[in-house]
Amino acid sequence: EDIMMTYGDGLSNVSIKKLVKFHYKNRSKVTLTAVRPKERYGVIKMKKNKITYFNNENRTADTYVNGGYFVIDKSAIKKIDKNSTYWEQEPLNFFAKKKQLHAFKHEGFWKSLDTLKDKNDLNILYKNKKLPWKI
């Protein structure tokens, strides 16, 4: 049967129900949850070494990244054919080239837990009873 997968190193309020519905509506082999991470630093734009834009406050990225939540068709699982298969390389690139990889855009809360700062930030939210990942 089809499966759902997550890396397990982040928190989000992704609606699983909407994610699954999107996956089947698009007849996707693999659906990846696309998120906009917060920039860690201020953003500048340049043209010929002159700064044309400077913003140290609004730290929302203009791009989407892999949020680590997936719905995977049972036939797509076969692309993981050995223990050394790297999910982000062979399978995801294969389905992207075949136009069978879809992005479910999640605009809600998402935060990775990659660094000690990430852990501390999430602990502060938890201690203050601000649980934006809770649905």
Side-chain angles (χ1 to χ4, degrees), residues 9-122:
D9 63 349
L11 286 174
S12 180
N13 63 355
V14 172
S15 169
I16 300 300
K17 191 175 189 178
K18 289 179 183 177
L19 173 62
V20 170
K21 184 176 179 181
F22 175 91
H23 176 77
Y24 289 116
K25 179 182 175 190
N26 288 282
R27 295 187 173 124
S28 182
K29 291 293 181 186
V30 177
T31 298
L32 171 153
T33 300
V35 298
R36 293 183 195 248
K38 297 281 184 193
E39 296 284 352
R40 293 191 186 265
Y41 307 101
V43 176
I44 62 171
K45 293 181 182 178
M46 298 178 283
K47 188 172 185 175
K48 295 185 180 182
N49 295 327
K50 289 187 181 181
I51 295 176
T52 60
Y53 176 83
F54 177 81
N55 188 338
N56 205 40
E57 298 299 319
N58 184 4
R59 296 191 176 175
T60 301
D62 289 336
T63 58
Y64 286 90
V65 297
N66 175 356
Y69 295 88
F70 302 88
V71 181
I72 306 169
D73 182 272
K74 63 184 172 187
S75 66
I77 297 167
K78 295 174 185 168
K79 291 304 289 179
I80 305 171
D81 56 358
K82 51 189 175 268
N83 286 340
S84 62
T85 299
Y86 186 56
W87 176 245
E88 287 81 6
Q89 293 298 319
E90 297 93 356
L92 287 187
N93 281 320
F94 173 82
F95 290 110
K97 287 176 186 171
K98 295 283 188 182
K99 298 186 179 1
Q100 296 172 328
L101 173 63
H102 289 81
F104 175 75
K105 293 180 182 175
H106 175 64
E107 301 292 342
F109 177 81
W110 177 86
K111 183 154 180 55
S112 63
L113 182 57
D114 296 326
T115 66
L116 180 57
K117 182 184 180 325
D118 295 335
K119 179 181 179 260
N120 291 338
D121 290 347
L122 289 168

